[in-house]
Amino acid sequence: QYNIILPQIGVLMRFDRVNEDSLLASSAADGKLPLGEPLMYLEFPVYAPFAFSATDVEPLKKPFRDFVIQMVKKYDGRPHYGKNDAALFKHPDVQKRMEASLNRFNQVRQTMDPEGAFLNSFMKASGFR
């Protein structure tokens, strides 16, 4: 239906437990993920040709972004900041899901980096202040 092409590596599944080792990791404890709860990461390596324009790459990314949004809506999933694009983090359902973690992170970041020296365009587009 979506004419999706997956790299030969396929879909990756990793398992972990919710912990307090990070403020933003997908495994970080928050109000919806209690400490110690088992969890699973789903990773979909996608083709993103570097020579294509953003407009040309968008149809390749959209089905995966839509899947992640459904995982957020239905199962309180959390996308990984290092493995998704800023467009995903602009979605209202994703922003709502990540709000508590982002607020905690932004409080620490403002204490450690009050001038915003380490903020970049991706962070700003993804809700970091």
Side-chain angles (χ1 to χ4, degrees), residues 102-123:
L102 263 177
N103 287 341
R104 278 195 335 259
F105 182 86
N106 282 326
Q107 288 173 357
V108 171
R109 198 213 51 78
Q110 288 172 358
T111 299
M112 304 299 285
D113 180 26
E115 302 299 320
F118 295 99
L119 281 175
N120 58 37
S121 59
F122 173 80
M123 292 176 74

Side-chain angles (χ1 to χ4, degrees), residues 61-114:
K61 290 185 175 184
K62 186 178 181 330
F64 298 99
R65 188 181 306 121
D66 291 348
F67 177 81
V68 171
I69 290 166
Q70 288 304 310
M71 296 299 286
V72 168
K73 286 179 170 181
K74 291 182 179 182
Y75 304 106
D76 284 326
R78 291 192 299 194
H80 189 292
Y81 280 101
K83 297 183 178 185
N84 290 278
D85 58 6
L88 177 67
F89 295 101
K90 291 179 183 178
H91 190 279
D93 291 314
V94 174
Q95 287 180 341
K96 181 179 176 186
R97 175 62 182 98
M98 299 305 294
E99 184 177 33
S101 294
L102 263 177
N103 287 341
R104 278 195 335 259
F105 182 86
N106 282 326
Q107 288 173 357
V108 171
R109 198 213 51 78
Q110 288 172 358
T111 299
M112 304 299 285
D113 180 26

Side-chain angles (χ1 to χ4, degrees), residues 48-53 56-57:
F50 64 88
F52 285 24
S53 71
D56 292 335
V57 172

Side-chain angles (χ1 to χ4, degrees), residues 1-6 47 59-64:
Q1 178 180 353
Y2 296 103
N3 201 22
I4 293 173
I5 299 169
L6 288 173
Y47 291 110
L60 300 173
K61 290 185 175 184
K62 186 178 181 330
F64 298 99

